[in-house]
Amino acid sequence: MTIAVEKVLYTAKATAQGGRDGKVASNDGKLDVVVAPPVEMGGDGKGTNPEQLFAAGYAACFHSALTVIARRSRQDAEGSTVTAEVGIGPINGGAGYGLEVVLEVSLPGTDRGAAEELVARAHEVCPYSNATRGNLKVDLRVV
């Protein structure tokens, strides 16, 4: 099922040169990074990589969704963190590559049951979760 945005509020734009071994920059100049394959994938690891950029974006977006849901539920999200782990590996017998994600969420001021409920609800509203749902494995962990 394709999700249609009712009204675009903001559009990010970035241009890559050199693929996984080059650079990526946003049109406004706020992001300008060297990208390089990680050592584990045969690269020199001297730059960031698309998986790190995706992990950073997903963690930030999910944390924002979590704090909104917590505030609406009158729950304490003070000191909370979200860590995203993005793994890449072969799929379809090596015919291509895919991603999988682990989101580790810490909500130190909230009991485990309430924290798990908040995380599940955040997963329903987070734009990254909505974009990836049904396309890759996302493991939610309350730590």
Side-chain angles (χ1 to χ4, degrees), residues 25-32:
S26 61
N27 67 321
D28 63 4
K30 292 181 181 178
L31 177 73
D32 190 348

Side-chain angles (χ1 to χ4, degrees), residues 115-138:
E116 288 173 350
E117 174 64 24
L118 291 173
V119 168
R121 289 175 54 206
H123 191 49
E124 294 301 315
V125 301
C126 172
Y128 274 66
S129 293
N130 286 331
T132 61
R133 187 169 290 107
N135 296 310
L136 57 87
K137 178 183 169 196
V138 177

Side-chain angles (χ1 to χ4, degrees), residues 7 12 19 22 27 42 45 48 58 71 74 82 84 97-98 118 125 132 135 137 139:
K7 178 182 176 184
N27 67 321
T48 190
Y58 203 162
R71 185 175 58 249
R74 301 190 197 304
V82 175
Y97 285 85
L118 291 173
V125 301
T132 61
N135 296 310
K137 178 183 169 196
D139 184 14

